[in-house]
């Protein structure tokens, strides 16, 4: 009998020690939560984080309206302002301006730009945006924010990958008045109106809080499944260059992880993850995002590759089926292809956006000259299928100018 009593006592002690350990770990992680320097400028309150039902099916219009009564949907409207964030550091200013230009050329819904930039770039960015015609300026408002990292590890975060790239990780804590957000890298161009991507929020089910495209569609040539030394999402990982973020849900959710037995909030999770994996993450903040959603796949909506079309989708042969059917919607010129001759089809699109003058006819001054340039790139793999770049663009230009364009 005494043996059973002793065994029971020992089990009770071990259970108590386990509980104390978990809570001590949680306390330690909370103690390292980022203390951020916030911009003195404030942004309008975000109004939208569309939802779907718990089964993951898109809600009807009436159900989307009902979502306005839910806790993370206070004050939402059907045609809300779209919030778009971009981070421009070092030499990325021109790319960022071209990105925003592509957004306002093709979109008609009101936008709020959140531009995070080094202090020395603020005045020049404002000068460019303020110089745009009034008819264009009426489409958007903007705030230029200072770059801001946790004070304890500022140097590590700022140099984690490319300059300031990891800023995207801290947007939920910095933009506390914004509900939903579209984050894009500077080397991104819109070939379809931003609102078509923004409206993918309606596909979120009750647990999803972010949406991204796969890092690759073809596992045989993908990076993560061949080289990654850390957990990653799905079969080939995800690419964070185009990311829909329900910031309200990201701030409220608890995330499963491989460091503690209890879920941690987003702001409690980042520093411990950096400490654990910093020697194993090649792609910096994108790798950390992959680790997070590896452990929390139910919180992620994966959208098709045509919304984040990169050189990897064509340099080894065409491997983005949705783009083959409907065209490229968002062009992501990573690998520096907007500024080199490695992939002239990508550079041709970037140059066309950069050189287009507001007010000029979109067909004759943008779309048709771009077609001519793309026809000169057919000696490359991406150039051979560059008609996919203009297929969606022709629809965008047509709807913007109410002009009938040739069909493909």
């Amino acid at each position: 009998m005494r043996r059973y009593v002793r065994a029971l006592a020992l089990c009770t002690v071990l259970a108590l020690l386990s509980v104390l350990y978990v809570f001590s770990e949680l306390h330690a992680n909370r103690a390292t939560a980022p203390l951020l320097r916030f911009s003195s400028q404030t942004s309008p309150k975000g109004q939208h984080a569309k939802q779907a039902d718990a089964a993951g099916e898109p809600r009807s219009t009436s159900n989307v309206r009902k979502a306005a009564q839910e806790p993370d949907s206070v004050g939402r409207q059907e045609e809300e302002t779209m919030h778009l964030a971009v981070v421009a550091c070092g030499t990325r200013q021109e790319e960022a301006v071209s990105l925003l230009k592509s957004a306002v050329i093709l979109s008609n819904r009101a936008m709020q730009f959140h531009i995070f930039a080094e202090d020395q770039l603020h005045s020049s960015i404002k000068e460019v945006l303020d110089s745009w015609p009034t008819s264009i300026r009426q489409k958007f408002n903007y705030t230029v924010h200072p770059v801001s990292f946790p004070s304890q590890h500022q140097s590590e975060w700022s140099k984690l990958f490319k300059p300031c790239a990891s800023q995207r990780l801290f947007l939920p804590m910095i933009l506390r008045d914004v509900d939903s957000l579209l984050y894009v890298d500077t080397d991104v161009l819109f070939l379809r109106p931003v609102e078509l991507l923004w409206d993918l929020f309606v596909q979120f089910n009750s647990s999803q809080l972010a949406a991204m495209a796969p890092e690759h569609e073809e596992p045989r040539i993908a990076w993560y499944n061949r080289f990654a030394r850390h957990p990653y999402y799905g079969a080939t990982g995800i690419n964070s260059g185009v990311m829909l973020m329900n910031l309200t849900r990201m701030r409220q959710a608890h995330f499963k992880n491989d460091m503690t037995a209890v879920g941690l909030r987003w702001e409690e999770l980042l520093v411990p993850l950096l400490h654990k994996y910093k020697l194993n993450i090649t792609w910096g903040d994108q790798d950390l995002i992959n680790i997070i959603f590896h452990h929390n796949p139910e919180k992620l909506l994966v959208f098709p590759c045509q919304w984040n079309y990169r050189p990897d989708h064509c340099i080894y042969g065409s491997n983005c089926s949705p783009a083959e059917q409907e065209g490229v919607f968002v062009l992501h010129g990573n690998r520096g292809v907007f500024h080199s001759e490695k992939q002239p089809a990508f550079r041709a699109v970037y140059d066309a956006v950069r050189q287009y003058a507001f007010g000029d006819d979109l067909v004759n001054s943008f779309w048709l000259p771009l077609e001519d340039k793309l026809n000169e790139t057919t000696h490359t793999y991406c150039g051979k299928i560059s008609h996919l770049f203009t297929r969606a663009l022709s629809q965008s230009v047509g709807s913007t100018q109410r002009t009938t364009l040739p069909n493909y």
Side-chain angles (χ1 to χ4, degrees):
M1 182 66 179
R2 289 181 180 177
R3 290 182 181 177
Y4 292 115
V5 171
R6 288 175 181 172
L8 179 60
L10 179 60
C11 291
T12 303
V13 171
L14 290 175
L16 288 172
L17 288 175
S18 298
V19 171
L20 289 173
Y21 172 76
V22 168
F23 279 100
S24 67
E25 286 293 310
L26 178 57
H27 176 75
N29 280 291
R30 283 181 174 162
T32 59
L35 298 174
L36 300 177
R37 296 181 294 106
F38 295 107
S39 168
S40 59
Q41 296 170 290
T42 57
S43 307
K45 186 177 175 99
Q47 295 181 333
H48 206 136
K50 297 177 182 177
Q51 301 188 32
D53 60 25
E57 294 301 321
R59 291 184 174 187
S60 65
T61 303
S62 60
N63 284 334
V64 171
R65 291 196 185 101
K66 289 178 184 177
Q69 306 304 318
E70 297 177 5
D72 64 346
S73 308
V74 177
R76 291 174 188 163
Q77 300 173 1
E78 192 112 352
E79 293 295 326
E80 80 288 355
T81 296
M82 301 179 294
H83 289 258
L84 186 152
V86 63
V87 180
C89 286
T91 59
R92 298 281 183 161
Q93 176 184 337
E94 184 182 81
E95 275 189 356
V97 170
S98 297
L99 153 70
L100 300 177
K101 188 177 181 181
S102 72
V104 298
I105 287 174
L106 300 177
S107 296
N108 293 309
R109 197 181 299 174
M111 290 177 281
Q112 172 72 36
F113 297 148
H114 300 275
I115 306 161
F116 291 82
E118 295 165 311
D119 293 345
Q120 65 269 25
L121 300 179
H122 285 205
S123 59
S124 56
I125 291 174
K126 292 177 181 178
E127 184 178 351
V128 172
L129 297 183
D130 291 342
S131 71
W132 289 356
T134 302
S135 59
I136 297 297
R137 286 286 288 114
Q138 290 174 345
K139 291 185 176 185
F140 70 94
N141 291 312
Y142 73 89
T143 303
V144 181
H145 303 267
V147 173
S148 181
F149 295 108
S151 56
Q152 276 185 309
H153 308 280
Q154 184 171 352
S155 178
E156 284 184 275
W157 286 118
S158 62
K159 300 174 182 177
L160 184 60
F161 183 48
K162 295 179 180 179
C164 306
S166 60
Q167 180 72 89
R168 78 188 86 181
L169 295 174
F170 304 100
L171 297 178
M173 290 82 81
I174 298 173
L175 300 176
R176 288 193 176 274
D177 289 331
V178 177
D179 180 59
S180 292
L181 182 75
L182 168 59
Y183 166 85
V184 284
D185 284 347
T186 57
D187 53 359
V188 161
L189 295 171
F190 290 98
L191 303 183
R192 292 290 278 151
V194 178
E195 48 264 37
L196 298 181
L197 176 56
W198 182 267
D199 286 344
L200 293 181
F201 273 121
V202 79
Q203 297 186 21
F204 280 31
N205 65 27
S206 59
S207 65
Q208 291 167 336
L209 47 75
M212 283 166 269
E215 173 66 17
H216 217 290
E217 279 61 42
E218 175 49 68
R220 291 175 298 177
I221 55 176
W223 193 91
Y224 279 108
N225 57 288
R226 293 189 298 158
F227 305 115
R229 295 180 294 165
H230 58 78
Y232 54 89
Y233 178 88
T236 60
I238 44 177
N239 185 283
S240 59
V242 179
M243 181 164 48
L244 291 170
M245 307 168 73
N246 184 321
L247 300 184
T248 299
R249 292 185 179 183
M250 293 178 75
R251 286 186 286 263
Q252 295 174 348
H254 287 81
F255 295 83
K256 297 187 291 290
N257 60 89
D258 56 2
M259 297 172 294
T260 67
V262 295
L264 298 176
R265 293 189 185 277
W266 185 269
E267 60 188 294
E268 299 168 334
L269 190 59
L270 297 177
V271 171
L273 274 181
L274 176 64
H275 288 165
K276 180 171 182 176
Y277 289 105
K278 64 181 178 181
L279 298 179
N280 296 317
I281 48 177
T282 303
W283 307 112
D285 52 300
Q286 177 172 287
D287 290 347
L288 295 180
I289 291 172
N290 265 277
I291 294 168
I292 292 171
F293 287 104
H294 168 84
H295 295 291
N296 301 269
E298 75 284 355
K299 298 186 187 303
L300 182 70
L301 173 72
V302 178
F303 53 67
C305 48
Q306 65 198 128
W307 290 108
N308 188 350
Y309 192 93
R310 304 179 302 282
D312 284 349
H313 290 118
C314 54
I315 58 177
Y316 306 111
S318 181
N319 55 57
C320 177
S321 296
E324 293 173 4
Q325 298 168 12
E326 300 178 286
V328 175
F329 292 175
V330 175
L331 193 70
H332 187 175
N334 64 342
R335 301 176 182 262
V337 295
F338 284 161
H339 310 287
S340 72
E341 296 303 325
K342 293 181 180 179
Q343 296 300 330
F346 280 77
R347 179 163 185 170
V349 180
Y350 178 74
D351 288 343
V353 172
R354 188 170 53 84
Q355 294 166 6
Y356 171 73
F358 288 119
D360 285 355
D361 180 78
L362 277 170
V363 175
N364 295 312
S365 298
F366 179 56
W367 180 63
L368 293 179
L370 173 58
E371 285 239 299
D372 292 338
K373 285 293 184 181
L374 289 174
N375 287 335
E376 298 174 6
T377 69
T378 54
H379 60 286
T380 66
Y381 282 117
C382 292
K384 289 177 181 177
I385 58 171
S386 61
H387 60 280
L388 302 182
F389 297 2
T390 53
R391 175 177 294 168
L393 182 60
S394 68
Q395 299 173 30
S396 304
V397 171
S399 61
T400 300
Q401 290 210 162
R402 300 180 182 278
T403 302
T404 302
L405 298 175
N407 294 319
Y408 282 85

